[in-house]
Every structure is written in C-alpha cells, then in structure tokens.
Amino acid sequence: MRKFNIRKVLDGLTAVSSAASASSAAQQQQAGNRESEIQETLQSEHFQLCKTVRHGFPYQPSALAFDPVQKILAIGTQTGALRLFGRPGVECYCQHDSGAAVIQLQFLINEGALVSALADDTLHLWNLRQKRPAILHSLKFNRERITFCHLPFQSKWLYVGTERGNIHIVNVESFTLSGYVIMWNKAIELSSKSHPGPIVHISDNPMDEGKLLIGFESGTVVLWDLKSKKADYRYSHDEAIHSVAWHHEGKQFICSHSDGTLTIWNVKSPTKPFQTITPHGKQLKDGKKPEPCKPILKVEYKTTRAGEPFIILSGGLSYDTVGRRPCLTVMHGKSTAVLEMDYSIVDFLTLCETPYPNDFQEPYAVVVLLEKDLVLIDLAQNGYPIFENPYPLTIHESPVTCCEYFADCPVDLIPALYSVGARQKRQGYSKKEWPISGGNWGLITQSYPEIIITGHADGSIKFWDASAITLQVLYKLKTAKVFEKSRNKDDRPNTDIVDEDPYAIQIISWCPESRMLCIAGVSAHVIIYRFSKQEVTTEVIPMLEVRLLYEINDIESPDGEQVPPLPTPGTGSNPQSIVPQSHPSTSSSSSDGLRDNVPCLKVKNSPLKQSPGYQIELVIQLVWVSGEPPQQITSLAVNSAYGLVVFGNCNGIAMVDYLQKTVLLNLGTIELYGSNDPYRREPRSPRKTRQPSGAGLCDINEGTMVPEDRCKSPTSAKMSRKLSLPTELKPDLDVKDNSFSRSRSSSVTSIDKESREAISALHFCETFTRKADTSPSPCLWVGTTLGTVLVIVLNLPPGGEQRLLQPVIVSPSGTILRLKGAILRMAFLDTTGSLVSPAHEPWREHNIPEDKDEKDKSKKRRPVSVSPSSSQEISENQYAVICSEKQAKVISLPSQNCIYKQNITETSFVLRGDIVSLSNSICLACFCANGHIMTFSLPSLRPLLDVYYLPLTNMRIARTFCFTNNGQALYLVSPTEIQRLTYSQETCENLQEMLGELFTPVETPEAPNRGFFKGLFGGGAQSLDREELFGESASGKASRSLAQHIPGPGGIEGVKGAASGVVGELARARLALDERGQKLGELEEKTAAMLYSADSFSKHAHEMMLKYKDKKWYQF
C-alpha cells in the first residue's frame, strides 16, 4: 500500500505532468500544506486489459454446423468470426486472423474439433477441448478455390471440392493433402464438351462409404467409385444444382435446382429422375410444366421409422410472390407447411436423433440461421412451433443508439426487473427443452449484480442482467407509446426534426438506488419514469413544454404578449419560461408564419394504461422558437433526493422540478456566466433557417445505404454524454490534431464559432459551492464544450408535504473553473479520498396509499448520501475530479485550488471518461479516440495503465463505450454484438475459471444394428479402408505447390494473444495448459496436440477392429 502525501505534491507533479507552470506549483504547495494525507492503494499491477465475452447475434453470418453428439452449434461470419453455442450461458467467440468470410464449417463429431473453410481458400482445424478454442493446423490452397467440404462421420479424411471441379482429400490429423485426386474431366462423360462447373456437393453413400456422390453446379451429378477410381453412374439435368441430399438407405437422393424444382433420383436409374416436384409452382392444365420458381437453395431429406420422410427446403417461392417474406418449407407426407421468416435465410440444419447417416434419421428440430436471427423449429409438435431462444440474440431488435453499464448494483434490482419483465414474454413457444444443450458452465467467481441498459432507435430501452459474464434480458420499456404515431409518411407532423426514428434514445440517466429513470430522445424530448410493481391507468399524461432560448432580446410570441424575461442570477423567484400545460399548445406558427411554440412530437391525449415496471412521471419537450427547431439534448441528469431533472443543449440549460411539475431554470449558456464570460460574447437572435436534419442515431444498419450524416449530432456538440465532438467550437484546438474526423454538420459553421457552447456534463452533488463556504450544500455542477465548469446553488424546501408546496430556489454561484477541451465527467471525493455519491432517495412503491405511520416516516425521511464520511465538520474539505476531452484536474474545495493536473492526450481526445471503483479504491478510466485505454489514480492522477486497444473506426464504438465499477467495460463491437472487456488484473486471472467448457466427454451412440439377413445378403452399410486408398503408400504425395501447410499456434500457448486481444504481451502462461490439464513445454506443445489428435483416431480404429474381430463371415 502506497501512502501519498500531498505535501510532496511537487515531486509527484514532475512525474505526472511536466506541463504545470511554476505559479500553479507554488499555489498547489500552499494548498498542500493544509491538506491531510490520503492513502492511495491502487498500483499499476492491479490493472490488465483483456476481452472477456462477446454477446449478441453474430454479425453477417455465413455458415452453420451442429455436433449432434456434443450438442454444440457453430456459426461462422463474413468477417471471419466463429461463435460457438452450447447450453444457455455457454458461449464462445473466436476469430480467424485473416478476417476472410467463413464459407463452411464441419464438426469432427464428438471429437472436440471443428474444421472451418474460408473464402481465402484456407482450411483450419480448431481445438474445442479448451476454454478458448484455437487453431491446431491450417492449410492454404494456392491454385484452386474451395467451394465445398465434406467430412464423413468417424473419418479422418476430409473431401475438399473446388471451383475447377476437382476433389482433393485432406488428412485432418496431420492436415496434409493425400495424393488421391478426383479430376473433373475423369468424373464427367468424355463426350461432354463443356466444363461441369464448380463442385456444389460431396457426400458418400450412407450404405457404401466407397461410393462418393459429386454434384457439379451445371446440373451433372456423378457417383464415383473410390476404389476403382471411375464413375459408376452419371445423372444429367438441364437446371443448375444448389444442393443434394441422400435418403438414409442409399438407394435414392434428391437435388434442388435453380428453377425451383426438386428431382428425386434412383441411384441405379441415371437416365431420368424418378420424380420431379415443384413445391411452390402453380400446376397448369393440359399437363404443361409448372411455371418456374425462385431457386431452392438447400434441401434436406430426413426419414422417420414411423411415418413419411421429411423434405425440408429453403427458397423456391414463385416469382409472383413479390414482397413475400423468406420461407422455410417443410413437406411431410401430403402436408406442406410454409414457415415465414423475418429475415433472409442464410442456412439451415435439421437436428436428428442419430449421428449415423445410414440409420432412420428421426428429425426433431430445424435450426434456421437468418441474416439477423437464429430460429429453432420443433418438428415433433403440430403447427411446428418455435423454441423460445435462451441466448441474448435480440440486442439489435432495433438498432442500439446508446448504452450504459452498472456494476455492483443494489441486490434487489435484478429480481424486481425480472418480475416485471416476466409478464412481457410471448406465448405459444414449444413446450420442449432447448435442444442445443452441450458444454458446462464455468465457476461463478464474481457475485455482484451487473446491469446493462441499451437504448434503441425505436425508442425502446432494454435492461439486461449481465452478472458473471452472462447476459439475459430482464425488461423492455417502450418510450414511444406516450406519443401519437403517424399512420403514414404524409400524415407526419411538419414539426419533425429528424427524417427517421423520431423516438430514438440519445441519453440514459438512471439512479439504481431510487430506480428513477430519465431518458433524452432525438426529438428534443425528455421523459422521467418511476418504477412501480402496480398497474396504473394515467388519465392525463403530465407534460411540460420548454422554450430553451438562445437569445436575450425579446421575441414576439404568437398572441402578441412578451415572453417573460429570463431571471437574473440570484433572483429568488420560481422562474418559468411558460405556464405548464397538460397538453401541447395548439398554436403552430407565429405572426410571420414561422413554426413557434410547438414540440416535435404529439403526446397522446387519451388515458394510458401503464403495466408494472417503469411508468411515466413527466414528459418534457423543447419547442420550436420562431421557425428554429429545438436543438438536440446533449446532457442529462436526474436526482431522486432533490426531485430534479436537468438537461442542456447547444442553446442552454433547463432544470425541472418533476415533483411540482415546474420549470425552475431556463438559461442560455452565455447567461450562466453572467458578467464573467471569458469570451465577451454578444447574445444574438437564433437563426431563421431550419438546420439540416439527419440527426438519427442509426449507423447500425451497415448493410444498407445510410446517409453518412445520419449518425452525427446536428448540434455538433455531444452525443449520449460519451461523444464530445465540438472541435469547430474550440478557438484553442487545431483540428489536424485528431485522428478521427469529427461531425461535419453544417449547423455549427453557419453561426459564430464561439457562440454555440453546449452543455456537455451535469452532476448533482452536495459540496462547497463558493470559496467562502464553510459547509457543503446541494448544488449542480455544469460542464460545457468550451471546458468551463459552472456551479448552480439549489435551495431546497424541507421534505414531506412542504416539498410539494414550497418552490425550489435556483441561483448561479459565480464559481467558474476552466479546463482544456469539452467537459466529460465530474465527481467528488471526501477527505479520505472516497467517492461521494450524489444523494438519493431509497425506492418505495408510490402507487399504494401510505398509512399515517408511513406518512410520518416519509416526512422525517432524509435523502441518503452514500458518502463514507459525514462532511459535517467545518475543517473537512472535498475534492472535485473533473475530466475533459484533453485533461483531468483534481480541485480542492472549498479553496478551489487545482492540486493535481494530468494532460491525458495532446494529439487525440478522450471519448469517454468515468470515475470508477476498483479493489476498494477509485480511479479515473479513459478511452481515447486514438484507441488507448488509460487509468489514473485518484486524487493524484498518477498514470496506472495505458494500453493501445482499438482505434476508433466508427461512431458506434464512440457512442456506446462505457466503463463501470470493478474493472468492467463494454462497447458495441458490431451492430448486433456487445463486446465486454476488463481492465482489472484480478478478473483477468479468474477469467479462465469463469468461462464455460464447450467439450464434455460423451459416449458416441452405438451404430445401428444391421440384422442377420441384411448382413448375409450384403444389404448393410459397406465400410471402406480409407487409409489404404488415401494414405501416402497407396496414393503417393500431393503436389507441394497445390497447398501449403501452416502449423497453428498449438491451440494452447498461441492462444495467449487471442485470449487477451490486443495485449498479447500480457497474456498469461496459465493458458498454456493443454486439454488434459498437463503443462507442456513450449517445444513439445505442437507435438503433444498432434499426438492427442492421432491417439483419439487410433482409439476409434482399435474399437472397430475389436468389434469385428470375432464376427463370422456372414456377419460382415
């Protein structure tokens, strides 16, 4: 434990920052003589950065595979990501270094391994027998492009089809090529004059492993005899083939074609198909062929013991069904079910009871991988209901526009949110258990509750339980239901300031202790919610409209009366810009025809039924002022102890008493300074032109063409309290410094640069407001985009009934502090260096009438302040911690001396700064636009961690990155996925134990019994000694130039880098445990991994030999 003495502040300053001037140093020394000692316990060894887990739907999925014995599902994506899913709570994310798209995945069934084929013509063998899967081997094809792979069950030989129509064979143990090659010109008829096209299908006959069915894109199918190295049969069709599937008896197969037809072929009748089906074609009279349909992209043919086989297909709809949603068709006997999907189908798989292809398949479910969803269909129940998906894959249900993360919440919060969220669940799901049930959970070493809140483009808010590296949705709140919705685009009010998503959430302010929630939306609206377990019907939705003006000179209001003058600092009145109305004013234009005094959205005027959960306390809307739209809200804060909400934008600041439903403060930013304005700005009238809209928050739909400015804030000030982009506003900053291009909205350049100073940070607290103060009092600290911090004093009436009767008096204190860069975050420490949390009121149920005793208690109830010290003694002081885009300062109160200063970045800017607790202490955590994550001790601002993590590649990361307590952080890594990371060394150490196991030892089911007569007359499955055919002794060596073998990182030691993402150099040696738990030396790791792989295959071979050793000749 290090003791830090403020008297030695000059020594500290030389290490911390060389920028301090001599005068400030002298001032600090003088301050330091009065300060007491503060012990700082955090050291750099407490910090380490690593990725923990990734939640959400895999972005841009491209491939699907399932291990029917281990019951593990794998999904590959277009960006080379691999997501593995077991039972709910067991998930894993891996990444191919090349970033090439995954085109196919093949499990080595029940072996704990997976082969991935990528668009860059590489094959990779993944070891799944460790908590962080890693690549054992890779093979890069140099001369041919991979189009299709097939690995027979319990085989070590992988068939690889190519674009040229050839088939190569890979030994998955050594990941080397066999000399055995099936060339396209040998497979097709010699008389054929054209190339048959790429390989689209390979599979062996379920009853004879020596016969390989090869499908070429052009429509030719060949049954190849592996032993005699020639084609047994060739099946020709004049329509292109998309997929092929066997009947389990090996006597028939089915092909799907580009004209929407299915052809069923008898193996021994190659001249014409046994049957042709057009599942969605209209049958024409006169025996004509049905009209062509869209291609059937995939078909599966699954048999059952007690009934008709299932034919399941995707695509094939008729061309006249324009606008119809993508469908999965299930044909079973004479019934055909068409199941509509919300998104296009990427792939599907039928889950069957047996892994053996030569047995009755007994299908029980279909996994459908959609572009933006994963659906499981129950085939055993009538109507084919879907299973309720237990994975957190709905993060992107509506695009995420902002995020907040709360670790170490009150313990009763998650049960409370879960109980109100449980009533929102849909009905009609399958009654069966979720069938993907493999793997085991990790140990829970973190016991504190964690909650993630996501705000969305449609105005919805989702609360997620994020405890112990899992994620589960708790409760969903729809904020848009308070507003009237326009039926169509022509109906929309002309007061909109955004073209799309008018209800999108921009900022979330939440007090976990009191459960008060406040949101700011893109249409300059603020809604305050109170949590209740009771259902209520609100007859009239309480609302206020606020004219947040930018100018002082009077404007004619519609009815000719003067707008009340703005209050001067220090007035004790209850200033209000308008009379609170229960509903919007009807006047929509001023005398000169400009829109005036109208909000952007219309609040419903009918009674609103509010379910248990979050219920509306008050709706506040900014209104149009003389033709100028209200500017978007850039900062927001709510305080339950004071009953106040405050918000600001680039015009000014407004404070509302939500208990009395009155506006307390409505000031332009310049007026906050009074006569102390350092810029000596002259207030001016607002612009008369409407600013360009394009203020939506959704850069999430990356696949569609979205105007670039749609994700930028037109105020160019600050978005979601995380993204401060006001370079154009700053006289002292050079734009060239920044590695990130800031908002290009024209609304800033069209006015005087200095005049648009936005409110960027707000913090309620109980502290010293002026230098002469002897005791702390309630106040509001306001930070602006020009680096100014101003303090507003709050004079609150006593609690109980008096709080509702007497006005709250608000007055600027005259205190002004300055930093370089826009203010991002403020916090306060007591004399011991502990965090002073804002006062809050404990949550209680408001919809139940209180009895007399309770009323008396509530009168006496004091707001709770969670400060560890009482701060009552006059001698005690506090420290304000202020973080801006460029620097951080610690200021002693009430003296207002800056005792510590740290220039965080010179060439970039801080996107997010949070004051968080870690290891019973606190620190400042910052994420910079140049990709660095940094932490600083408090109060001395010593650098503790500085790691290059990821550069800011898009606005989504900037808008969603947030730190929280106990070393946790997160951001939206793609439009559909949340990436969580930790900067705590302790969590990094425990992570291995917390992660789930994907592989669990499971017995492979017994092979189907062939019966006496089948064995006697040769009707059973024919086995094949593939080693004899494909081994080096029989087939020779493959051409070296054809493919290049790349040894993987051993799957063990090399995963160190992958495990911690960017901090490979910090990765722990403990990940060098192999799957048996033995610690291998670096030199023998690759050998050991290969030996293990070979051992498991030789074990299977030995079992097969023992099985058939004592059998008579007629049993073979």
Side-chain angles (χ1 to χ4, degrees):
M1 183 183 288
R2 170 174 171 175
K3 286 193 174 183
F4 202 89
N5 192 333
I6 295 179
R7 292 189 184 87
K8 296 181 180 175
V9 73
L10 283 175
D11 302 337
L13 272 171
T14 54
V16 172
S17 169
S18 57
S21 65
S23 62
S24 65
Q27 192 182 28
Q28 285 164 6
Q29 190 178 27
Q30 189 184 350
N33 293 333
R34 292 197 308 270
E35 310 296 349
S36 57
E37 251 181 32
I38 290 183
Q39 293 181 348
E40 287 190 3
T41 55
L42 284 180
Q43 303 296 329
S44 54
E45 55 264 27
H46 289 108
F47 294 88
Q48 183 179 339
L49 194 71
C50 72
K51 292 179 182 177
T52 51
V53 280
R54 184 174 289 204
H55 302 296
F57 182 78
Y59 183 55
Q60 294 179 325
S62 56
L64 183 66
F66 183 69
D67 184 326
V69 180
Q70 285 288 320
K71 296 207 174 345
I72 297 283
L73 186 78
I75 296 174
T77 76
Q78 290 176 29
T79 53
L82 192 58
R83 289 285 294 281
L84 296 143
F85 296 91
R87 66 178 61 194
V90 177
E91 281 183 45
C92 183
Y93 158 76
C94 320
Q95 177 69 45
H96 292 91
D97 290 340
S98 66
V102 179
I103 54 174
Q104 206 177 341
L105 295 170
Q106 290 265 307
F107 274 102
L108 278 66
I109 293 171
N110 206 25
E111 294 289 348
L114 174 78
V115 173
S116 57
L118 269 57
D120 64 355
D121 309 306
T122 54
L123 295 172
H124 303 275
L125 179 67
W126 288 85
N127 177 13
L128 307 182
R129 291 177 177 243
Q130 54 193 50
K131 291 191 170 185
R132 295 239 187 214
I135 292 170
L136 288 165
H137 302 282
S138 299
L139 195 64
K140 166 82 172 146
F141 279 73
N142 296 323
R143 295 186 304 197
E144 298 198 51
R145 309 221 60 184
I146 299 170
T147 55
F148 193 88
C149 299
H150 170 63
L151 181 67
F153 179 44
Q154 293 182 327
S155 163
K156 68 174 185 181
W157 298 97
L158 174 76
Y159 300 108
V160 181
T162 70
E163 200 171 45
R164 290 188 185 176
N166 303 324
I167 293 176
H168 302 279
I169 297 163
V170 175
N171 181 331
V172 290
E173 281 180 4
S174 60
F175 241 56
T176 52
L177 274 175
S178 161
Y180 192 115
V181 182
I182 303 170
M183 303 300 286
W184 68 270
N185 52 354
K186 299 269 175 57
I188 65 167
E189 290 181 76
L190 293 173
S191 58
S192 177
K193 291 177 181 174
S194 59
H195 188 279
I199 301 279
V200 293
H201 180 82
I202 308 168
S203 61
D204 42 346
N205 185 320
M207 286 296 179
D208 188 351
E209 293 173 348
K211 302 284 195 281
L212 199 66
L213 195 69
I214 306 164
F216 296 93
E217 192 180 65
S218 62
T220 301
V221 179
V222 175
L223 188 68
W224 181 265
D225 188 313
L226 289 165
K227 285 181 185 170
S228 64
K229 300 186 180 178
K230 62 181 178 52
D232 278 1
Y233 298 103
R234 297 182 178 92
Y235 314 84
S236 292
H237 194 66
D238 51 8
E239 288 295 337
I241 287 177
H242 284 278
S243 74
V244 184
W246 279 103
H247 186 284
H248 86 273
E249 288 175 347
K251 294 173 183 172
Q252 278 188 339
F253 62 88
I254 187 168
C255 302
S256 74
H257 299 279
S258 56
D259 63 346
T261 58
L262 298 171
T263 52
I264 298 176
W265 300 78
N266 284 333
V267 169
K268 296 185 177 175
S269 308
T271 49
K272 63 170 187 157
F274 163 71
Q275 191 182 356
T276 302
I277 308 165
T278 312
H280 296 282
K282 290 179 182 168
Q283 298 297 327
L284 302 174
K285 293 174 184 174
D286 311 326
K288 289 181 185 173
K289 277 177 72 176
E291 290 177 357
C293 294
K294 293 174 186 173
I296 295 175
L297 300 175
K298 184 171 180 180
V299 64
E300 292 207 339
Y301 197 7
K302 301 295 179 187
T303 51
T304 58
R305 272 192 174 78
E308 302 280 344
F310 281 88
I311 296 175
I312 301 164
L313 57 117
S314 64
L317 294 178
S318 65
Y319 279 102
D320 61 4
T321 53
V322 180
R324 188 164 177 187
R325 294 193 294 181
C327 292
L328 187 83
T329 306
V330 181
M331 301 167 72
H332 185 223
K334 291 180 180 175
S335 76
T336 299
V338 181
L339 310 174
E340 287 196 341
M341 303 289 156
D342 289 337
Y343 306 100
S344 55
I345 297 170
V346 175
D347 198 359
F348 73 88
L349 286 173
T350 310
L351 307 190
C352 301
E353 296 289 354
T354 177
Y356 294 93
N358 58 352
D359 193 9
F360 285 99
Q361 296 297 286
E362 303 295 349
Y364 59 89
V366 184
V367 182
V368 190
L369 177 62
L370 306 176
E371 205 173 42
K372 292 184 180 178
D373 202 0
L374 182 73
V375 176
L376 250 82
I377 295 158
D378 185 351
L379 290 178
Q381 270 182 256
N382 286 339
Y384 305 131
I386 64 169
F387 288 88
E388 184 176 7
N389 196 323
Y391 305 135
L393 301 183
T394 58
I395 290 168
H396 63 287
E397 191 175 22
S398 168
V400 177
T401 51
C402 64
C403 266
E404 290 296 338
Y405 189 6
F406 299 85
D408 219 359
C409 304
V411 288
D412 57 347
L413 253 183
I414 288 175
L417 288 164
Y418 181 80
S419 67
V420 293
R423 309 176 194 208
Q424 299 176 328
K425 292 201 172 171
R426 275 180 50 192
Q427 302 300 314
Y429 288 113
S430 167
K431 304 283 189 290
K432 289 188 182 168
E433 288 287 307
W434 181 251
I436 303 162
S437 55
N440 279 322
W441 293 304
L443 295 171
I444 296 174
T445 55
Q446 287 173 195
S447 56
Y448 52 85
E450 297 173 72
I451 290 176
I452 294 170
I453 307 179
T454 52
H456 299 264
D458 63 356
S460 61
I461 286 176
K462 287 183 182 172
F463 290 79
W464 304 83
D465 176 5
S467 310
I469 70 170
T470 60
L471 194 70
Q472 181 186 3
V473 71
L474 291 170
Y475 170 70
K476 180 179 174 181
L477 170 67
K478 294 178 180 173
T479 67
K481 69 179 185 183
V482 69
F483 300 110
E484 299 279 6
K485 285 196 177 65
S486 45
R487 295 274 189 283
N488 52 44
K489 290 213 169 175
D490 307 330
D491 246 7
R492 287 176 49 177
N494 58 1
T495 52
D496 277 10
I497 56 170
V498 287
D499 298 329
E500 296 181 61
D501 307 318
Y503 312 111
I505 307 293
Q506 265 187 310
I507 311 175
I508 297 166
S509 177
W510 187 52
C511 173
E513 288 79 15
S514 66
R515 304 185 191 173
M516 290 300 295
L517 172 72
C518 192
I519 65 100
V522 77
S523 295
H525 62 282
V526 171
I527 310 177
I528 303 154
Y529 288 92
R530 209 186 272 280
F531 186 83
S532 172
K533 294 181 179 177
Q534 308 293 316
E535 185 176 288
V536 293
T537 300
T538 308
E539 294 299 323
V540 177
I541 297 162
M543 65 160 291
L544 283 174
E545 288 175 1
V546 177
R547 278 173 78 92
L548 197 48
L549 307 180
Y550 173 62
E551 81 290 6
I552 291 178
N553 45 330
D554 294 329
I555 291 179
E556 289 291 314
S557 55
D559 53 7
E561 290 175 12
Q562 295 295 315
V563 175
L566 290 154
T568 52
T571 51
S573 65
N574 180 11
Q576 250 178 262
S577 63
I578 58 151
V579 178
Q581 294 167 277
S582 61
H583 280 286
S585 51
T586 50
S587 60
S588 62
S589 62
S590 58
S591 52
D592 54 358
L594 295 170
R595 280 191 286 271
D596 190 60
N597 247 27
V598 284
C600 302
L601 303 172
K602 186 166 186 269
V603 174
K604 283 182 180 171
N605 52 15
S606 53
L608 183 69
K609 182 180 164 189
Q610 302 201 69
S611 306
Y614 274 102
Q615 297 170 353
I616 294 162
E617 174 81 4
L618 179 64
V619 179
I620 307 163
Q621 286 186 281
L622 295 183
V623 294
W624 285 68
V625 178
S626 301
E628 176 173 328
Q631 297 296 307
Q632 287 184 353
I633 290 158
T634 54
S635 56
L636 174 73
V638 66
N639 187 288
S640 57
Y642 306 157
L644 302 178
V645 65
V646 61
F647 55 93
N649 61 13
C650 66
N651 282 343
I653 184 170
M655 191 188 295
V656 168
D657 179 341
Y658 65 76
L659 298 175
Q660 294 189 23
K661 314 285 188 280
T662 55
V663 180
L664 300 173
L665 183 74
N666 180 359
L667 284 178
T669 318
I670 303 170
E671 295 162 295
L672 277 173
Y673 288 90
S675 58
N676 299 326
D677 185 5
Y679 298 103
R680 294 189 171 82
R681 289 165 290 196
E682 285 299 318
R684 58 176 61 210
S685 295
R687 293 161 294 135
K688 300 294 184 210
T689 53
R690 178 176 173 174
Q691 65 172 27
S693 110
L697 292 168
C698 316
D699 60 341
I700 300 293
N701 305 315
E702 292 187 352
T704 56
M705 288 298 290
V706 179
E708 189 140 352
D709 270 312
R710 193 171 164 231
C711 59
K712 309 289 199 301
S713 162
T715 62
S716 225
K718 185 160 184 293
M719 195 179 289
S720 301
R721 291 188 299 158
K722 304 172 187 60
L723 181 58
S724 179
L725 304 177
T727 301
E728 298 91 340
L729 300 173
K730 298 181 187 171
D732 56 341
L733 290 185
D734 182 4
V735 185
K736 292 177 203 154
D737 279 352
N738 297 326
S739 57
F740 174 66
S741 65
R742 305 206 185 199
S743 171
R744 296 189 300 278
S745 170
S746 60
S747 62
V748 180
T749 54
S750 61
I751 54 172
D752 181 8
K753 284 186 180 179
E754 288 181 354
S755 62
R756 289 270 159 158
E757 178 179 13
I759 308 295
S760 56
L762 294 162
H763 189 86
F764 283 107
C765 56
E766 200 163 315
T767 188
F768 302 91
T769 55
R770 299 178 182 88
K771 286 186 182 181
D773 282 1
T774 55
S775 62
S777 56
C779 56
L780 170 73
W781 285 52
V782 180
T784 76
T785 50
L786 289 187
T788 306
V789 176
L790 303 136
V791 184
I792 294 171
V793 182
L794 310 174
N795 196 335
L796 298 162
E801 286 174 17
Q802 289 300 307
R803 173 63 186 84
L804 300 174
L805 300 172
Q806 293 183 31
V808 176
I809 297 165
V810 188
S811 57
S813 67
T815 296
I816 294 182
L817 305 167
R818 303 272 305 143
L819 273 78
K820 184 180 173 188
I823 306 298
L824 299 179
R825 187 72 75 240
M826 295 175 282
F828 293 86
L829 314 180
D830 64 14
T831 35
T832 65
S834 303
L835 197 62
V836 179
S837 300
H840 63 264
E841 192 171 76
W843 177 79
R844 60 189 175 86
E845 181 58 72
H846 273 258
N847 290 330
I848 297 175
E850 294 179 302
D851 56 31
K852 192 170 184 301
D853 294 345
E854 283 292 320
K855 276 195 174 178
D856 291 341
K857 277 184 198 170
S858 72
K859 279 181 190 176
K860 292 170 191 169
R861 188 186 288 127
R862 298 291 303 150
V864 181
S865 181
V866 200
S867 164
S869 67
S870 62
S871 297
Q872 292 306 308
E873 294 173 39
I874 294 173
S875 61
E876 288 201 1
N877 53 357
Q878 290 186 352
Y879 305 99
V881 182
I882 305 170
C883 175
S884 79
E885 284 185 323
K886 291 285 184 180
Q887 61 182 196
K889 283 186 180 179
V890 174
I891 290 158
S892 176
L893 299 175
S895 65
Q896 295 181 14
N897 290 326
C898 173
I899 56 168
Y900 297 107
K901 179 172 131 185
Q902 174 67 267
N903 289 329
I904 299 168
T905 174
E906 293 294 338
T907 56
S908 184
F909 59 100
V910 179
L911 282 162
R912 176 83 185 209
D914 284 298
I915 289 98
V916 290
S917 65
L918 175 71
S919 304
N920 297 319
S921 191
I922 53 167
C923 64
L924 167 66
C926 299
F927 172 52
C928 282
N930 61 10
H932 282 255
I933 287 178
M934 296 182 269
T935 62
F936 302 92
S937 71
L938 287 174
S940 67
L941 293 175
R942 277 179 302 124
L944 296 170
L945 174 79
D946 184 352
V947 175
Y948 177 73
Y949 178 69
L950 86 163
L952 183 65
T953 48
N954 58 40
M955 294 282 286
R956 183 185 56 249
I957 296 171
R959 205 170 49 238
T960 55
F961 200 104
C962 46
F963 297 97
T964 188
N965 297 331
N966 299 337
Q968 308 289 346
L970 67 77
Y971 61 96
L972 214 67
V973 67
S974 77
T976 61
E977 296 163 290
I978 285 174
Q979 177 68 57
R980 285 165 73 179
L981 54 145
T982 182
Y983 48 95
S984 154
Q985 204 267 338
E986 186 187 359
T987 308
C988 285
E989 282 190 356
N990 293 333
L991 184 59
Q992 193 66 5
E993 291 173 17
M994 293 165 70
L995 293 171
E997 302 259 7
L998 281 168
F999 179 80
T1000 47
V1002 179
E1003 283 289 316
T1004 302
E1006 276 199 27
N1009 189 0
R1010 291 184 298 160
F1012 175 81
F1013 288 103
K1014 275 194 174 177
L1016 185 61
F1017 299 112
Q1022 304 295 309
S1023 62
L1024 169 78
D1025 186 347
R1026 294 186 177 94
E1027 185 68 47
E1028 195 180 295
L1029 276 176
F1030 306 145
E1032 201 174 299
S1033 56
S1035 61
K1037 285 189 174 180
S1039 163
R1040 282 191 176 183
S1041 62
L1042 186 62
Q1044 171 192 356
H1045 176 253
I1046 305 159
I1052 303 133
E1053 180 64 20
V1055 76
K1056 290 194 300 184
S1060 51
V1062 294
V1063 282
E1065 73 280 5
L1066 294 173
R1068 278 87 59 217
R1070 72 174 45 182
L1071 281 172
L1073 293 170
D1074 77 335
E1075 55 268 42
R1076 295 178 193 167
Q1078 297 168 323
K1079 201 158 189 178
L1080 302 169
E1082 277 185 54
L1083 292 169
E1084 59 187 4
E1085 278 170 7
K1086 289 175 192 158
T1087 322
M1090 287 169 66
L1091 279 172
Y1092 180 83
S1093 194
D1095 183 49
S1096 72
F1097 279 113
S1098 65
K1099 191 175 78 181
H1100 276 296
H1102 186 66
E1103 282 171 6
M1104 294 286 283
M1105 185 270 287
L1106 291 175
K1107 198 167 187 177
Y1108 293 107
K1109 189 174 70 171
D1110 299 318
K1111 294 209 172 177
K1112 301 288 186 263
W1113 61 269
Y1114 54 79
Q1115 289 177 302
F1116 284 96

